[in-house]
């Protein structure tokens, strides 16, 4: 159960990063005075959506395993 709870929490954190920080930093990266280069922003978030999707799949698998384990 702890692993499932931790995975849920991690996904929630990733979603906050994608929905809140990523758009804000994108606007910040477009400002030449910010010091954040667009390429750096891209490197920071290049795989964030993929990581979130993979972890959602993992969570689904973990939840299914837990359900099967309790049923069996």
């Amino acid at each position: 159960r702890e692993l499932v709870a931790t995975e849920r929490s991690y996904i929630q954190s990733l979603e906050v990063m994608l929905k809140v920080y990523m758009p804000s930093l994108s606007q910040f990266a477009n400002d030449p005075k910010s010091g954040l280069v667009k390429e750096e922003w891209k490197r920071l978030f290049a795989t964030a959506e993929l990581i979130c999707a993979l972890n959602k799949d993992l969570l689904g698998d973990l939840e299914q395993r837990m359900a099967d384990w309790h049923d069996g």
Side-chain angles (χ1 to χ4, degrees), residues 8-72:
R8 274 193 199 115
S9 176
Y10 180 61
I11 290 169
Q12 288 173 346
S13 296
L14 287 172
E15 288 176 336
V16 167
M17 179 187 67
L18 290 170
K19 293 176 184 173
V20 177
Y21 294 106
M22 196 167 126
S24 296
L25 285 174
S26 174
Q27 291 176 356
F28 191 67
N30 287 326
D31 181 358
K33 297 177 186 176
S34 71
L36 179 63
V37 179
K38 189 72 171 178
E39 288 73 31
E40 291 173 345
W41 177 87
K42 287 179 183 178
R43 272 187 265 138
L44 283 171
F45 295 105
T47 58
E49 290 174 343
L50 176 61
I51 290 170
C52 189
L54 290 172
N55 281 84
K56 285 180 179 181
D57 288 344
L58 174 62
L59 177 60
D61 291 345
L62 288 171
E63 290 172 332
Q64 184 61 49
R65 293 278 183 174
M66 291 293 291
D68 292 346
W69 185 50
H70 289 301
D71 292 341

